[in-house]
Amino acid sequence: MSYRCIVLDLDRTTLNSQGKLSEINREALRYAMENGVQVVVASGRPFYALPEEILSFPGLDYAITSNGAAICHIPEKKRLGGYTLSPEAAEAIVGLAEREGLLCECFIRGVGYAQADYVRCPTAYGAAPEAVAYIKNNRRPVEDIFSFIRQHEREIDSIDIIVNNPAKKEEIWSCLKKKVSDIYITSSGAGLIEISNCQAGKHTGVAFLMKWLGISMEETAAFGDGDNDAELLSHAGCGIAVANASEKCLAAADYVTLSSEENGVAHWIYHILKI
């Protein structure tokens, strides 16, 4: 099968544990592009939290961000399409989190916002040490995130609920599914519930962009590691999970490559994709 597009999750897939693009993966992406393959990013991050080395990568022109809530043209910083939460859904999510004493963060027009105390000291709220720099650098602090979301309830791409207790996470997830009908729920990490419009998801964002570019999903290979990548991998013509992927992602994949620390993306491009 000849693949015309490669879709890349970033964190713990294309980027290493330090959040960096290795030179090996960088060269593999250049190799793919030189051979006529479109390379696209599909991330849970909002647009302005994408690493500069991704935003400035020559030829990398498109990004699916906020778990499919926004489809963007990188060079022009232009939104090609996307979905915002309904005001009713935003209120239901915020109300539930507030009652449960849980913090939220939200994404609006490619920018992440979070409670000021959380941004100042993420580990106090259960964030992993390796996530601290990302949070501090990519979340704008607000003094009352619940009021902020309510003030901007018609503009929100997605809302994350921060919940580090697995049992509580399952409880909140179940409650959202029962009480809020027009939402899409996923998770890129153990401590997050990520919520967007029911039409979102990386898989729908990629389908939108492939139609825009005139490429079929069958001609698309997608890489991922998290639960929020599983539907994308199952919808792509070829779904590839890195070895460090979650169980749900591994189950959805057609193939498993080396881990993100072992440059699994490059390994697949050079040795198996055979452009």
Side-chain angles (χ1 to χ4, degrees), residues 116 141 203 214 233 241 261:
H203 59 301
L233 267 57
E261 295 302 300

Side-chain angles (χ1 to χ4, degrees), residues 49-88:
L50 298 178
E52 180 56 35
E53 60 183 343
I54 294 297
L55 292 173
S56 62
F57 197 106
L60 210 169
D61 292 338
Y62 299 98
I64 314 299
T65 61
S66 301
N67 285 317
I71 301 95
C72 305
H73 183 248
I74 295 175
E76 297 179 307
K77 297 181 171 63
K78 179 181 178 181
R79 183 172 174 133
L80 302 176
Y83 318 94
T84 55
L85 284 163
S86 69
E88 296 77 16

Side-chain angles (χ1 to χ4, degrees), residues 227-253:
D227 288 3
N228 63 328
D229 297 310
E231 287 168 302
L232 171 59
L233 267 57
S234 65
H235 281 75
C238 183
I240 309 109
V242 288
N244 52 286
S246 70
E247 291 184 11
K248 184 175 180 179
C249 186
L250 289 167

